[in-house]
Amino acid sequence: MTVTKEESGQEGADGDGGMSGAGDDYVPSQRRLDRERHKRARARRATAIGALSTLVTGVVLYLVVVNAPGWPRTKETFFNEDYAREAFPKVLEGLWLNVRLLLICGACVLVLGMLIAVARTLRGPVFVPLRVLAAAYTDFFRGLPLIINLMIVVLGVPALRLQGVTVDPVLLGGTALTLTYSAYVAEVFRAGIESVHPSQRAAARSLGLTNRQALRHVVLPQAVRRQVPPLLNDLVSLQKDTGLVSIGGAVDAVRAADIIVGRSLNYTPYIVAGLIFVALTIPMTRFTDWVTARMDRRRAQGGAL
């Protein structure tokens, strides 16, 4: 029985929109075109509904706030344009300290966190003391509130009057941030190391690699690659918490706003500082979401992590 080209193309189209034998002659079936048209229409309808509901919610919230009895006083105290213009350049100048703390402390946190995680995953009875110390470190600093850690380091270390020990609140505050966040990052790295299947290490050993070489060249690259999203989340949190170094007197964005508030008794500078931190955090948050979604897609497609 002879099958014509039109019949063959129609059979392929009536199946599931598959391609015919000749790839260049493929024509989507009417069913597939209708399905794609329906998907596009449904996406447009969902986008329109989402935009409309967001607009309605925003309008309702705006009307509730501006019609509140205390709104005029609140607007003058928290949203004063004159104080906002005065505070913006000073807060922006102080933000440079927060950015430097983020970069330096972030690098130190990654290095120290990795060392602690490796110490916790070392095998053999000879490493028991090291594993115990690493576990005690992570348990202590993960349980200790960051604000208390900052007060102990920033206010307590200068009180000891130790020779050769700095009393700079910026350095001490950065040290406290590093101590706390290293404990969190160490657990992230440890989870990544333990998520690597033991067969990976066994395969590396069978190729002649030592335990150290297997850890460095096989286990750690996979562990770090898998833990990129939670590491970025910790970096976002660190960026916000750099503002806490102001409790020691360091003039960062928060302290710059606090100086103006103390002089004017108007809280608009706090709003300015908060909005600047939010503007700085949003791109990092969106980048984290993009990396997470990209890794999820690769995992779903069976690609390498």
Side-chain angles (χ1 to χ4, degrees):
M1 179 178 179
T2 303
V3 180
T4 63
K5 181 178 180 180
E6 290 78 4
E7 292 174 346
S8 175
Q10 183 64 34
E11 289 177 0
D14 290 340
D16 193 19
M19 295 182 65
S20 62
D24 295 338
D25 297 333
Y26 165 68
V27 177
S29 66
Q30 187 62 38
R31 181 186 305 173
R32 180 169 184 175
L33 294 175
D34 293 340
R35 184 163 58 245
E36 292 178 351
R37 189 180 302 110
H38 174 70
K39 288 181 179 179
R40 290 193 297 267
R42 187 170 58 183
R44 289 194 297 267
R45 184 168 57 252
T47 302
I49 293 174
L52 180 62
S53 63
T54 302
L55 178 62
V56 171
T57 303
V59 170
V60 170
L61 290 176
Y62 173 79
L63 294 177
V64 170
V65 171
V66 300
N67 291 318
W71 168 245
R73 180 61 178 171
T74 301
K75 180 181 179 181
E76 177 65 24
T77 305
F78 290 91
F79 303 98
N80 189 289
E81 295 182 2
D82 296 331
Y83 287 112
R85 283 193 293 268
E86 177 187 356
F88 182 77
K90 298 179 180 179
V91 171
L92 202 61
E93 181 180 355
L95 185 67
W96 174 234
L97 175 60
N98 298 101
V99 174
R100 284 181 293 169
L101 280 172
L102 171 64
L103 296 176
I104 297 174
C105 293
C108 294
V109 163
L110 290 176
V111 174
L112 183 57
M114 175 64 75
L115 293 176
I116 297 171
V118 171
R120 292 202 63 182
T121 56
L122 290 176
R123 301 179 179 180
V126 70
F127 295 114
V128 169
L130 193 57
R131 290 200 300 268
V132 171
L133 288 176
Y137 178 93
T138 55
D139 291 343
F140 179 79
F141 282 104
R142 289 177 71 199
L144 183 68
L146 176 58
I147 187 67
I148 295 179
N149 186 18
L150 279 163
M151 289 181 177
I152 293 174
V153 176
V154 175
L155 304 178
V157 171
L160 295 175
R161 299 181 181 179
L162 298 174
Q163 294 294 329
V165 177
T166 181
V167 295
D168 187 348
V170 176
L171 295 178
L172 294 176
T175 301
L177 290 172
T178 302
L179 291 174
T180 295
Y181 273 90
S182 295
Y184 289 103
V185 171
E187 287 300 286
V188 173
F189 279 133
R190 186 172 71 92
I193 292 173
E194 293 181 349
S195 69
V196 178
H197 198 274
S199 61
Q200 297 287 317
R201 191 188 297 266
R205 293 301 308 278
S206 67
L207 294 176
L209 274 67
T210 63
N211 278 325
R212 181 181 300 178
Q213 291 173 332
L215 180 66
R216 177 183 175 185
H217 298 290
V218 177
V219 177
L220 288 183
Q222 297 184 61
V224 173
R225 196 157 50 239
R226 294 178 180 183
Q227 299 304 105
V228 167
L231 287 175
L232 290 175
N233 284 326
D234 286 335
L235 187 63
V236 172
S237 299
L238 176 62
Q239 174 186 311
K240 296 182 297 182
D241 287 340
T242 56
L244 294 176
V245 299
S246 60
I247 65 174
V251 183
D252 67 330
V254 177
R255 182 58 180 168
D258 188 59
I259 292 174
I260 301 176
V261 171
R263 173 173 49 82
S264 63
L265 298 180
N266 187 283
Y267 299 105
T268 303
Y270 286 148
I271 302 298
V272 173
L275 291 177
I276 290 177
F277 271 102
V278 170
L280 194 63
T281 302
I282 287 177
M284 295 181 62
T285 305
R286 297 286 76 82
F287 177 71
T288 302
D289 294 340
W290 176 80
V291 171
T292 303
R294 180 172 177 268
M295 295 184 68
D296 289 342
R297 287 194 302 269
R298 294 184 64 181
R299 186 181 297 110
Q301 295 171 0
L305 296 178

